[in-house]
């Protein structure tokens, strides 16, 4: 345990503290013992920070070299405090002060007060005593899943009838990171094998070469090595972003994409694409990020020489994994660099079909390496969470700085280039058309050839749990030449600097919408929706609709495709046609995640006018309620029997069902481990309570089951006085 020296606000030195009287405790009350009348001084604090101890094991931080306490937000940690006398819960109080202060700059920091409570509640900074041994108490501290990451300084604040004392715990700082294990953290990843790969694995593979000759190199991310965590936090401070923003992985990842290059913000790596690397290290010589980050940190921010795309990506993965954001390296072969926001790769030829080099600023790289990071995107429409492109290689300015991302991979796939950040640039990298323009006698240019299938090939990343290459091209775009892929390209082109590139429809006379009856489908039953098309023209219209229904987390992150197919449509003049659409229970039963949400996307093109049809519809499979029914009048001090019933709607066995009950004046949650519930079975619980407070009360119940979520209920109960 490490000792802590007390100090007082505005008082003398810590070696000779003076109590600061508190008005409520200006005098001792009758019956207070002589011992508890003394100042409550902190003798020592043990943050239980050993690598093989409970805190770091439970927080998955035991691999970090640092001997500091490293925790992940949204999760409790424990600590011991030793006092000068036994802690008296009746007359003494305790509080933690956490301070997130910049070390290398004068930016304002963050102050957090953590009060001592009897019962911990989610979503609050709180702590409670769980054990008391003579003069020592063991505390459980609750942190927020939205807390800013960083290095917090800790001060223990004690209150007794005699006064208040502050005990700084320096150098016992607490490092707080993002938490992919916490469901309420925006970086939550629900697959343990993927968490091991994208957060905890310190070795990876980076792919290079050409689409016909793909090479691979092993990279040491070194995110747990000595001084790397400190270097990452030092790097964040260089970003000049308020520490209150360090809670948001969108902002942090965007900041890191700027800070890993040196172009405009004193970042880590200096890019060099020349043949000379004098005064530095050739980019091909690096095999890991540890030395790069240590050089930068120990050199007080002096840029490290030199990097190219795979080095930028390797360092970015190291920083984001170190901070707790799931991240992987991704290689795109035949990667376009669109310089004029045309969303096409433009090649200009003269009247003799010779290349005009001064005009041709776009380029196609043999390969380009960037990163993907996993997070929700509450700033965007639903469906855009999940993998986000983060690219630290300095290519183009984004909002005045050389950075790129986070860009939703799903938006790139669908050509939704109006969504932030930098989606047009990433879209062009993977799915732009290579367009050849020829100069005409009047000086203007006309299209002479379009190559639609050459950009964005064999997009690759390391597979989970092995060193094999995984092709993820399908996450970025539909199959080359497919109707969906062409629609995505043409949709994107309308937001580019040359929006008239493609033949645009002259008539927009067909509308499409998805309709749901009433409150919508129930889980365990077939989901039935309707696709309604209206032809407002006086001519016949035909189209081929493609629909795809995907499972979606409530946070907007899309997971698996459940079903996709085509529907041919023939519309008579002025006809409104309703097409029934059904998703059978057996089709979705093995795919659902947390809250039973699905997204149906329908796209198509009208044959006669080339009009593009597109719509999305998010719906949830409704879950049954828990029915709560008191069997007699509720009276203070008298036993009350309450019946709770649940009907399993699924033709599947529910495993390890747990019921949780709270309210009605109870000071803690009652947990009932029920076990398995057979398919379509009914469960009836008979629970007894003794109300302690009269008046209108609520009794709440919920069910915890991996296969069936969002099952809950409540009852309003009026408790009569005795």
């Amino acid at each position: 345990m490490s000792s802590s020296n007390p100090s007082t606000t505005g008082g003398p030195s810590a070696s000779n503290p003076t109590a600061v009287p508190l008005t409520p405790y200006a005098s001792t009350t009758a019956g207070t013992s002589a011992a508890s009348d003394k100042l409550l001084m902190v003798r020592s604090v043990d943050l239980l920070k050993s690598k093989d101890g409970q805190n770091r094991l439970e927080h998955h931080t035991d691999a970090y070299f640092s001997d500091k306490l490293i925790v992940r937000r949204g999760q409790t940690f424990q600590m011991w405090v030793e006092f000068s006398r036994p802690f008296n819960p009746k007359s003494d109080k305790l509080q933690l002060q956490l301070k997130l202060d910049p070390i290398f700059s004068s930016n304002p920091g963050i102050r957090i007060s953590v009060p001592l409570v009897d019962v911990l509640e989610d979503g609050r900074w709180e702590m409670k005593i769980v054990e008391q041994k003579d003069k020592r108490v063991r505390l459980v501290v609750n942190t927020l899943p939205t807390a800013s990451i960083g290095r917090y300084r800790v001060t223990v604040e004690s209150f007794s009838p005699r006064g208040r004392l502050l005990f700084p715990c320096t150098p016992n700082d607490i490092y707080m990171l993002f938490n992919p294990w916490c469901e309420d953290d925006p970086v939550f990843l629900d697959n343990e094998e993927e968490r091991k790969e994208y957060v905890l694995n310190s070795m990876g593979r980076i792919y290079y070469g050409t689409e016909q000759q793909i090479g691979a190199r092993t990279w040491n991310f070194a995110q747990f090595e000595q001084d790397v965590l400190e270097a990452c936090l030092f790097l964040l401070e260089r970003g000049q972003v308020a520490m209150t923003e360090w809670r948001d992985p969108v902002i942090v990842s965007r900041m890191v994409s700027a800070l890993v290059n040196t172009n405009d913000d004193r970042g880590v790596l200096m890019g060099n694409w020349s043949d000379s690397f004098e005064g530095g290290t050739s980019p091909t010589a690096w095999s890991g990020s540890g030395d790069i980050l240590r050089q930068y940190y120990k050199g007080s921010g002096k840029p490290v020489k030199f990097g190219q795309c795979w080095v930028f990506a390797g360092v970015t993965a190291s920083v984001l994994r170190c901070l707790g954001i799931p991240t992987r390296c991704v290689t795109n072969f035949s990667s376009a660099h669109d310089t004029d926001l045309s969303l096409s790769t433009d090649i200009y030829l003269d009247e003799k079909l010779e290349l005009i080099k001064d005009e041709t600023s776009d380029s196609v790289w043999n390969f380009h390496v960037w990163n993907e990071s996993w997070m929700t995107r509450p700033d965007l429409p639903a469906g855009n969470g999940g993998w986000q492109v983060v690219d630290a290689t300095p290519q183009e300015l984004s909002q005045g700085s050389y950075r790129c991302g986070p860009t939703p991979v799903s938006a790139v796939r669908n050509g939704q280039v109006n969504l932030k950040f930098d989606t047009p640039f990433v879209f062009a990298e993977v799915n732009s058309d290579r367009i050849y323009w020829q100069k005409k006698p009047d000086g203007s240019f006309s299209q002479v050839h379009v190559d639609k299938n050459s950009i964005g090939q064999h997009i690759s990343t390391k597979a989970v749990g092995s060193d094999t290459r995984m092709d993820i091209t399908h996450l970025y775009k539909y199959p080359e030449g497919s109707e969906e892929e062409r629609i995505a390209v043409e949709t994107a082109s309308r937001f580019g600097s040359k929006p008239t590139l493609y033949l645009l429809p002259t008539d927009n006379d067909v509308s499409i919408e998805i309709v749901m009856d009433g409150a919508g489908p129930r889980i365990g039953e077939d989901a039935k929706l309707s696709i309604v098309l209206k032809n407002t023209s006086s001519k016949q219209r035909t189209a081929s609709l493609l629909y795809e229904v995907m499972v979606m987390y409530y946070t907007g992150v899309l997971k698996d495709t459940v079903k996709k197919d085509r529907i041919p449509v023939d519309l008579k003049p002025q006809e409104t046609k309703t097409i029934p659409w059904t998703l059978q229970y057996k089709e979705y039963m093995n795919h659902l995640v947390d809250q039973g949400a699905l997204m149906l996307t329908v796209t198509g093109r009208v044959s006669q006018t080339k009009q593009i049809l597109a719509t999305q519809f998010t719906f949830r499979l409704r879950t049954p309620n828990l029915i709560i029914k008191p069997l007699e009048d509720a009276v203070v001090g008298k036993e009350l029997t309450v019946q709770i019933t649940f009907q399993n709607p699924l033709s599947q066995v529910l495993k390890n069902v747990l019921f949780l009950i709270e309210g009605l004046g109870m000071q803690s949650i009652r947990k009932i481990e029920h076990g398995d519930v057979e398919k379509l079975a009914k469960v009836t619980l008979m629970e007894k309570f003794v109300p302690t407070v009269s008046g209108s009360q609520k009794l709440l119940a919920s069910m915890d089951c991996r296969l069936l979520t969002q099952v809950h209920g409540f009852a309003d109960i009026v408790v009569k006085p005795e």
Side-chain angles (χ1 to χ4, degrees):
M1 293 192 295
S2 57
S3 61
S4 302
N5 295 319
S7 65
T8 60
T9 305
S13 68
S15 59
N16 184 25
T18 300
V20 179
L22 296 177
T23 304
Y25 306 107
S27 61
T28 59
T29 58
T32 303
S33 67
S36 63
D37 194 29
K38 297 177 181 177
L39 281 168
L40 184 67
M41 301 180 67
V42 174
R43 295 299 188 199
S44 63
V45 173
D46 184 358
L47 292 179
L48 301 173
K49 58 186 181 179
S50 66
K51 297 178 185 178
D52 58 354
Q54 179 180 356
N55 278 337
R56 289 187 57 170
L57 287 173
E58 289 183 351
H59 286 255
H60 307 277
T61 59
D62 50 301
Y64 286 87
F65 178 87
S66 173
D67 61 358
K68 302 291 187 182
L69 176 59
I70 305 170
V71 299
R72 298 189 187 276
R73 65 187 194 173
Q75 196 171 332
T76 60
F77 66 88
Q78 300 191 19
M79 59 186 286
W80 282 94
V81 179
E82 183 179 8
F83 300 106
S84 56
R85 59 170 174 77
F87 181 84
N88 184 345
K90 293 184 178 179
S91 58
D92 297 330
K93 290 190 176 182
L94 199 61
Q95 187 165 270
L96 283 186
Q97 298 287 351
L98 302 180
K99 298 179 180 179
L100 182 60
D101 281 324
I103 301 171
F104 307 102
S105 67
S106 57
N107 290 340
I110 295 174
R111 302 288 184 272
I112 297 168
S113 295
V114 185
L116 185 66
V117 298
D118 294 328
V119 179
L120 293 180
E121 294 185 28
D122 289 340
R124 295 186 181 182
W125 285 100
E126 292 176 338
M127 63 180 179
K128 67 176 289 188
I129 295 174
V130 293
E131 186 178 356
Q132 185 163 357
K133 289 184 177 179
D134 191 25
K135 300 177 183 179
R136 301 173 68 219
V137 296
R138 182 161 60 95
L139 299 167
V140 170
V141 182
N142 196 40
T143 65
L144 290 187
T146 55
S148 289
I149 63 167
R151 188 179 85 172
Y152 286 82
R153 300 189 185 279
V154 184
T155 298
V156 179
E157 191 172 6
S158 68
F159 304 80
S160 67
R162 288 287 303 277
R164 164 178 173 250
L165 288 172
L166 298 175
F167 298 85
C169 298
T170 305
N172 279 332
D173 300 330
I174 296 175
Y175 288 81
M176 192 167 297
L177 309 176
F178 292 107
N179 193 351
W181 285 264
C182 174
E183 293 188 9
D184 295 322
D185 194 308
V187 302
F188 170 65
L189 187 60
D190 73 345
N191 184 297
E192 178 62 19
E193 293 307 308
E194 291 183 353
R195 290 191 291 250
K196 289 178 181 177
E197 181 67 53
Y198 301 132
V199 181
L200 301 181
N201 195 350
S202 60
M203 289 288 174
R205 303 274 277 176
I206 297 179
Y207 299 95
Y208 63 94
T210 68
E211 58 182 285
Q212 288 84 19
Q213 298 169 300
I214 298 176
R217 63 182 302 159
T218 300
W219 192 267
N220 178 17
F221 296 118
Q223 69 266 39
F224 304 124
E225 290 184 5
Q226 185 174 8
D227 295 325
V228 170
L229 175 57
E230 290 80 1
C232 293
L233 295 177
F234 169 72
L235 181 63
L236 290 189
E237 279 200 40
R238 306 282 282 197
Q240 299 295 307
V241 172
M243 285 180 152
T244 53
E245 305 287 3
W246 290 20
R247 70 186 63 190
D248 187 347
V250 174
I251 293 175
V252 169
S253 60
R254 183 159 175 78
M255 182 164 53
V256 168
S257 80
L259 290 167
V260 168
N261 68 70
T262 64
N263 282 41
D264 44 31
D265 45 22
R266 303 174 298 165
V268 178
L269 266 171
M270 182 180 295
N272 186 341
W273 283 266
S274 73
D275 294 327
S276 173
F277 305 105
E278 187 176 347
T281 301
S282 167
T284 56
W286 297 112
S287 58
S289 310
D291 285 347
I292 295 172
L293 289 166
R294 277 188 289 270
Q295 281 186 40
Y296 180 72
Y297 177 55
K298 293 181 177 180
S300 300
K302 183 179 179 181
V304 178
K305 304 175 181 177
F306 292 103
Q308 291 183 4
C309 68
W310 66 91
V311 189
F312 287 112
V315 173
T316 300
S318 301
V319 173
L320 295 177
R321 285 189 186 186
C322 183
L323 299 176
I325 300 177
T327 302
R328 61 190 185 186
C329 292
V330 172
T331 302
N332 178 40
F333 293 94
S334 294
S335 185
H337 182 174
D338 176 23
T339 59
D340 61 0
L341 297 180
S342 65
L343 299 179
S344 59
T345 302
D346 300 302
I347 300 167
Y348 294 91
L349 309 173
D350 62 18
E351 294 164 347
K352 299 178 181 179
L353 295 181
E354 293 184 6
L355 184 67
I356 305 175
K357 295 181 180 179
D358 292 343
E359 290 279 355
T360 305
S361 57
D362 293 346
S363 60
V364 179
W365 296 22
N366 286 346
F367 74 97
H368 180 49
V369 188
W370 58 67
N371 301 96
E372 287 178 1
S373 293
W374 183 271
M375 65 193 71
T376 61
R377 290 299 301 270
D379 56 324
L380 297 179
N384 288 291
W387 289 116
Q388 312 285 315
V389 171
V390 178
D391 190 352
T393 299
Q395 295 182 89
E396 297 294 329
L397 288 168
S398 172
Q399 295 178 331
S401 179
Y402 280 95
R403 56 189 169 185
C404 180
T407 309
V409 173
S410 59
V412 174
R413 187 174 192 245
N414 293 310
Q416 296 172 307
V417 296
N418 55 317
L419 300 180
K420 60 186 181 182
F421 293 91
D422 308 307
T423 312
F425 184 79
V426 178
F427 180 89
E429 287 183 302
V430 302
N431 206 14
S432 57
D433 287 345
R434 199 186 306 220
I435 300 180
Y436 293 80
W437 301 82
Q438 186 178 21
K439 195 171 187 178
K440 297 193 294 186
D442 63 1
S444 64
F445 287 86
S446 62
Q447 291 183 35
V448 292
H449 178 69
V450 179
D451 183 354
K452 298 181 178 181
N453 301 323
S454 64
I455 302 299
Q457 302 294 314
H458 301 302
I459 303 175
S460 304
T461 191
K462 177 186 174 299
V464 173
S466 78
D467 283 337
T468 58
R469 182 181 69 87
M470 181 169 66
D471 193 302
I472 58 171
T473 308
H474 64 284
L475 297 181
Y476 281 83
K477 55 184 179 178
Y478 295 99
E480 291 284 6
S482 67
E483 183 76 357
E484 309 93 279
E485 187 262 349
R486 287 292 91 198
I487 289 174
V489 171
E490 293 179 28
T491 299
S493 75
R494 296 175 189 177
F495 293 93
S497 60
K498 300 174 183 175
T500 57
L501 232 59
Y502 297 93
L503 180 64
L504 298 179
T506 55
D507 298 310
N508 286 297
D509 48 29
V510 177
S511 64
I512 183 171
E513 66 173 332
I514 299 170
V515 177
M516 179 177 70
D517 291 334
R522 292 182 178 274
I523 195 165
E525 301 174 358
D526 294 349
K528 297 181 180 181
L529 303 174
S530 298
I531 302 171
V532 180
L533 295 108
K534 294 181 181 179
N535 177 12
T536 60
S537 78
S538 58
K539 298 178 181 179
Q540 183 173 349
R541 297 288 184 243
T542 57
S544 177
L545 300 180
L546 171 72
Y547 71 79
E548 181 175 15
V549 62
M550 298 185 73
V551 173
M552 187 174 72
Y553 293 94
Y554 82 98
T555 52
V557 178
L558 293 171
K559 198 182 180 188
D560 301 330
T561 296
V562 179
K563 182 180 180 182
K564 63 186 298 185
D565 204 352
R566 288 192 174 275
I567 304 172
V569 177
D570 195 344
L571 296 171
K572 298 175 183 177
Q574 302 296 323
E575 181 183 10
T576 296
K577 179 170 285 188
T578 299
I579 303 171
W581 182 88
T582 301
L583 179 66
Q584 296 179 346
Y585 168 62
K586 65 181 181 182
E587 294 174 319
Y588 71 73
M589 61 182 284
N590 295 320
H591 292 277
L592 294 182
V593 293
D594 56 22
Q595 298 186 25
L598 298 112
M599 176 179 281
L600 175 61
T601 301
V602 181
T603 57
R605 186 201 302 268
V606 179
S607 301
Q608 292 84 356
T609 64
K610 308 304 180 188
Q611 176 191 350
I612 292 174
L613 305 173
T615 186
Q616 287 184 322
F617 186 78
T618 301
F619 62 100
R620 181 175 68 87
L621 298 168
R622 294 164 55 214
T623 52
N625 292 325
L626 297 180
I627 307 301
I628 304 173
K629 180 181 178 182
L631 299 184
E632 58 248 342
D633 288 343
V635 181
V636 170
K638 290 189 177 182
E639 191 174 74
L640 169 68
T641 302
V642 176
Q643 181 186 75
I644 303 173
T645 56
F646 162 70
Q647 178 78 49
N648 180 8
L650 303 182
S651 300
Q652 294 168 273
V653 176
L654 304 180
K655 299 284 189 180
N656 304 316
V657 172
L658 175 69
F659 292 96
L660 301 96
I661 306 170
E662 60 183 304
L664 205 62
M666 291 190 296
Q667 297 304 301
S668 60
I669 295 176
R670 182 181 299 185
K671 297 182 179 180
I672 303 165
E673 296 180 357
H674 184 78
D676 296 349
V677 177
E678 294 300 315
K679 57 183 181 180
L680 303 176
K682 184 177 182 179
V683 173
T684 301
L685 304 177
M686 305 295 285
E687 291 297 309
K688 298 185 183 299
F689 305 89
V690 179
T692 57
V693 181
S694 63
S696 180
Q697 306 275 334
K698 275 183 168 41
L699 184 66
L700 292 72
S702 62
M703 190 183 81
D704 184 3
C705 173
R706 187 163 187 82
L707 191 61
L708 186 62
T709 61
Q710 281 286 55
V711 176
H712 47 77
F714 74 95
D716 288 309
I717 299 176
V718 177
V719 181
K720 299 177 181 178
E722 291 183 76

